[in-house]
Amino acid sequence: MQGNRPDVYITTPLYYVNSYPHIGHTFTTVVADVVKRHYQQLGKKVYFLTGTDEHGEKIAIAANNAGKDPKSFVDENSKRFKSVWDDMGISYDDFIRTTEERHKKVVRGLLQELYEKGDIYFASYEGNYCLGCERFITESELVDGKCPDHGTEPKKVKEENYFFKMSKYADQLKKEFESKKDIIRPEWYRKEVLGYLNEKIDDLCISRPMDRVSWGIELPFDNRFVTYVWFDALLNYISAIGYPDPSYRGYWDVCEHFIAKDILRTHTVYWGTMLLASGIPIYKHLNVHGYWNMSGIKMSKSLGNVVEPSSFKEKYGDEGLRFFFLREMRWGEDADFTIERFVLRYNSDLANNYGNLISRTMGMVEKYYSDKDYLDIKSELPKEHVLKDQLEKLVNSYKADFSSCEFNKAMENMWRLFDDTNKFIADSKPWDLAKTGNKGELDKVIMPVLEVIRICTYMLLPVMPKVSSAILLELGSDNIEKTTFDEFCRWGSQDRIKAKYVNKKFFNRIEENTGGA
Ligand code: ME8
């Protein structure tokens, strides 16, 4: 790992292996993957970590219900996550499991350090425990006596345990979040966090007695207890990059976490104070998205209202889903997931708009330039053109939108350009120009349109890697790896474009009656 410092270190949450991945988990992981690929296009070195959270009461109960011992249960389910990520084309660099020795060693080491420092003490505690969240929740968080995320009544737990002095670091943490205005994106979640920190912060119960929960990392200073799952899992972000070897800082200093709002408190109040207590600087960014809902209710394993991505891939392919994710959700806000909405978006944006633009343009090229194998686009492309101006604007706004996680805006703007390009074709009537043999005027229509397709398809590579590569291959763009983003996206940067195609249709309309979602 040493000597290979990335420019960006991207993480997803470590997902619980009490069940299988659904659309919610898939979304965060796909976004992280798209961001990684986009930054790579910009010439940055990116390291992408994901994995599974495998300890704790919830997992132990799920294993028991499945009639399996926890270890074989987590082995099986963790594999399931990996295989879905492979199906979805996720290019992670490391997949960490909290049951791995490399992780457990770091958890034990840090616990010991904090214990010796006096930041961990033994006491008795009584509180409301939500098993779904795997944490004690405060009275003020309850809605009608129930956890708002899981719709279940928390159970009253009273026991002796070890506590981490979270309260000691609350003020310092508040100052961090007050001064670093863009640390959490979108901004309104930072305000929410400051709201948590304005309330009294209790110390954090970080152990579970072995006789109640034995599936966890044993405390290094008292073998009657295991480590509380959140105190264990959050440390993956540093255990995976070699902490405490000082080289971990090369990664840590450029860390961007991606999570949904369900784990905002744990990633700010818990994680923030844990970092401060350990003398580790706070992460660079915490990117927080909203929920995928089904009929207004959060899609979740515990509620059972989930869509599994594998069924999607079989029916509609994986890349349509990747696009849908980015196009449909405004970063930070909730969005509703229905099959009808997916089909509508797929048909209108991919099959009709973008797909049709490609196939009709390729069709015209083959027909009007049938004597050619290649078009000499470099010399035939007009130096000034209305589509050139729009494209240049898009290239700049696209980069800015990606860096602020406004993916839906980036997609919207690109599709507006596709609309305008389709309209430009309709208005310029290239079929009439071809009929009258007006070659110069025909070039002025076809070449700019090809250039829009070439450049936009390149920008879509991170979103739909397979289909975008296939389209670029047809256009003869063999310089993808060698050029930089700005060079590839420069008007006229490719010398020639292919004029004969093996495939012209990349998105087939979904014709089925989708029924209820
Ligand atoms: O919380 N909409 O794991 P988890 C959008 N193990 N995203 C969703 C979603 C939904 N309906 N449902 C799940 C845990 N997610 C802990 C994390 S990290 C050190 C430990 C995604 O399996 C989203 O990223 O419950 C959310 O934050 C995460 O899955 C929660 O996954």
Side-chain angles (χ1 to χ4, degrees), residues 324-339:
F324 178 79
F325 277 155
L326 267 79
R327 173 64 185 80
E328 203 73 6
M329 185 178 258
R330 285 165 74 96
W331 193 254
E333 293 176 22
D334 293 354
D336 227 44
F337 190 93
T338 64
I339 307 289

Side-chain angles (χ1 to χ4, degrees), residues 18 20 25 35 60 72 143 199 206 211 215 263 298 316 388 396 419 445 453 461 471 474 502:
N18 57 337
Y20 302 144
H25 309 111
V35 169
S72 40
V143 177
E199 288 176 13
I206 54 135
D211 50 18
W215 182 239
I263 51 178
K298 183 192 176 201
Y316 312 110
K388 177 186 178 211
N396 289 327
D419 279 338
V445 178
I453 296 173
L461 263 170
I471 298 165
E474 289 291 357
V502 178

Side-chain angles (χ1 to χ4, degrees), residues 434-454:
K435 247 186 249 158
T436 53
N438 196 339
K439 165 86 179 45
E441 288 305 306
L442 184 64
D443 284 350
K444 283 190 201 150
V445 178
I446 298 294
M447 305 293 167
V449 171
L450 278 170
E451 203 56 356
V452 167
I453 296 173
R454 179 183 74 88

Side-chain angles (χ1 to χ4, degrees), residues 14 16 22 24-25 28 53 260 262-263 289 291-292 299 301:
L14 288 208
Y16 285 129
H22 61 66
H25 309 111
T28 320
D53 186 354
D262 52 346
I263 51 178
H289 63 80
Y291 293 151
W292 283 102
M299 190 187 289
K301 292 172 282 208

Side-chain angles (χ1 to χ4, degrees), residues 12-18 22-29 53 58 81 132-133 230 233-237 258-263 267 289-293 297-301 329:
T12 71
L14 288 208
Y15 307 112
Y16 285 129
V17 285
N18 57 337
H22 61 66
I23 290 294
H25 309 111
T26 311
F27 174 75
T28 320
T29 316
D53 186 354
K58 186 151 92 171
F81 274 84
C133 296
W230 272 102
L234 284 162
L235 291 171
N236 89 87
Y237 299 133
F258 286 84
I259 61 164
K261 63 183 180 181
D262 52 346
I263 51 178
H267 277 75
H289 63 80
Y291 293 151
W292 283 102
N293 293 330
I297 297 168
K298 183 192 176 201
M299 190 187 289
S300 113
K301 292 172 282 208
M329 185 178 258

Side-chain angles (χ1 to χ4, degrees), residues 137 141-143 146-152:
I137 58 179
E141 285 180 74
L142 296 175
V143 177
K146 292 182 176 164
C147 164
D149 269 352
H150 296 93
T152 47

Side-chain angles (χ1 to χ4, degrees), residues 106-133:
V106 172
V107 175
R108 282 195 291 260
L110 214 113
L111 280 166
Q112 185 66 37
E113 204 180 300
L114 295 182
Y115 183 65
E116 283 167 19
K117 193 179 162 195
D119 277 349
I120 290 176
Y121 62 92
F122 194 64
S124 168
Y125 185 75
E126 184 171 0
N128 293 313
Y129 198 74
C130 172
L131 189 61
C133 296

